[in-house]
Amino acid sequence: MKTICRTAKLYLHYVSINVRCMMEYKTSFLLTAIGQFLVSFNVFLGIFFMFQRFSTVEGFTYSEVLLCFSIILLEFALAEMVARGFDTFSGMVRSGDFDRILVRPQSEIVQVLGSRFELTRIGRMIQAVVMFVYGILKSGITWDFRKICTVVFMLAGGTTVFSALFLIYAALCFFTLDGLEFMNVFTDGAREFGKYPIGIYGRKILLFTTFVIPYALIQYYPLLYILGKRSSALYMFLPLAACWFLIPAVLLWKFGVRHYRSSGS
């Protein structure tokens, strides 16, 4: 317990340092946050204009799709905020900065996590919250304690899955010394195609996102429960089950650390 408390205290200290550094340049922070808002706003416009021509997509209405997109966007933004250090890890390996991390008596994962904290992602989060509130008001969902818990579980599970993907991206840098761009298909790409319920893409995609990379567990199945399209309470806990994806990500990271050779920088 003491170790956990010390680790949490260290991470919060890293976060405090990052936030204070960003607040030294408030105008830059504000403009970057606005830029993040506008980037995802373009995706919203695509959904808006499509629903000007079509009333539903595979049985999902405009408000239901907005509810879906807002949750996946919020999950991704939270993961980017807390796990950005893994997304930029390739530069740390190339420069040799990771060598210094290895000689410190603290967890490498915590130190890399704490190296970057992207508070500017709050721009995306604000847009996601606005869309989510609109989706709630227009979708006619009857909310109860279980459905509120389902949303909380979706955010926790989704943040974990996207953070695990960033961790895998970082672990691959041990063997390539550079980030592999194809990983963006599973991070940014997932955010893009996740704006619609995953079930509309067909059975094969649904199976892949259920048993390989569990996007469907943090988006599609719990969304069906929230919208009343499924009644089993099992759907409520599926986002938590998606957290298993963090296990192979951590194992790959540990394997990479054991086989790491200094870049020589």
Side-chain angles (χ1 to χ4, degrees):
M1 181 62 69
K2 290 183 178 179
T3 302
I4 295 175
C5 290
R6 284 199 299 267
T7 301
K9 185 177 180 179
L10 175 63
Y11 176 71
L12 292 176
H13 180 65
Y14 278 131
V15 171
S16 174
I17 292 173
N18 277 276
V19 171
R20 289 201 302 270
C21 287
M22 283 185 284
M23 290 300 103
E24 288 294 322
Y25 305 94
K26 294 182 177 61
T27 302
S28 175
F29 166 78
L30 180 61
L31 292 176
T32 304
I34 292 173
Q36 291 293 323
F37 179 93
L38 293 176
V39 167
S40 51
F41 186 72
N42 289 333
V43 181
F44 162 75
L45 289 178
I47 298 174
F48 175 78
F49 288 125
M50 191 195 73
F51 274 95
Q52 298 304 301
R53 294 184 59 85
F54 306 98
S55 58
T56 62
V57 175
E58 292 289 331
F60 291 92
T61 65
Y62 173 59
S63 58
E64 291 172 347
V65 168
L66 280 188
L67 196 63
C68 171
F69 177 49
S70 63
I71 291 176
I72 203 77
L73 181 62
L74 191 54
E75 292 168 350
F76 185 79
L78 284 169
E80 268 202 319
M81 181 180 289
V82 301
R84 184 65 172 171
F86 292 127
D87 196 30
T88 60
F89 182 68
S90 59
M92 189 176 291
V93 172
R94 288 196 306 270
S95 65
D97 287 340
F98 187 67
D99 293 14
R100 292 188 295 175
I101 285 179
L102 288 175
V103 300
R104 295 170 182 165
Q106 295 293 338
S107 167
E108 298 92 359
I109 289 180
V110 173
Q111 292 184 70
V112 175
L113 268 178
S115 65
R116 292 287 296 272
F117 184 82
E118 289 289 349
L119 189 60
T120 55
R121 266 43 182 187
I122 196 171
R124 288 182 182 176
M125 294 173 64
I126 290 173
Q127 184 188 354
V129 170
V130 171
M131 288 192 299
F132 184 73
V133 172
Y134 179 86
I136 289 176
L137 296 177
K138 296 296 183 179
S139 59
I141 298 173
T142 302
W143 289 92
D144 55 25
F145 179 73
R146 288 186 175 184
K147 290 184 178 180
I148 293 173
C149 287
T150 303
V151 173
V152 174
F153 294 160
M154 289 173 76
L155 294 177
T159 303
T160 300
V161 169
F162 281 116
S163 297
L165 286 168
F166 288 131
L167 180 58
I168 291 173
Y169 175 85
L172 293 176
C173 295
F174 289 123
F175 310 101
T176 63
L177 296 184
D178 204 349
L180 297 177
E181 291 301 319
F182 82 89
M183 283 298 298
N184 290 332
V185 174
F186 303 109
T187 52
D188 296 286
R191 183 196 64 206
E192 291 300 316
F193 78 73
K195 62 189 176 186
Y196 298 107
I198 290 175
I200 73 171
Y201 297 110
R203 178 176 174 77
K204 291 182 179 179
I205 296 296
L206 184 58
L207 288 174
F208 178 82
T209 56
T210 299
F211 299 106
V212 182
I213 302 180
Y215 300 123
L217 301 184
I218 61 174
Q219 188 241 47
Y220 181 64
Y221 296 118
L223 181 69
L224 295 179
Y225 179 74
I226 290 174
L227 297 177
K229 297 179 184 292
R230 296 291 188 275
S231 58
S232 174
L234 174 64
Y235 287 78
M236 171 183 173
F237 298 100
L238 288 179
L240 297 181
C243 294
W244 69 264
F245 191 64
L246 188 61
I247 297 174
V250 171
L251 292 177
L252 180 61
W253 169 269
K254 290 183 177 295
F255 179 79
V257 170
R258 285 198 302 269
H259 293 78
Y260 171 69
R261 296 294 179 269
S262 175
S263 63
S265 299

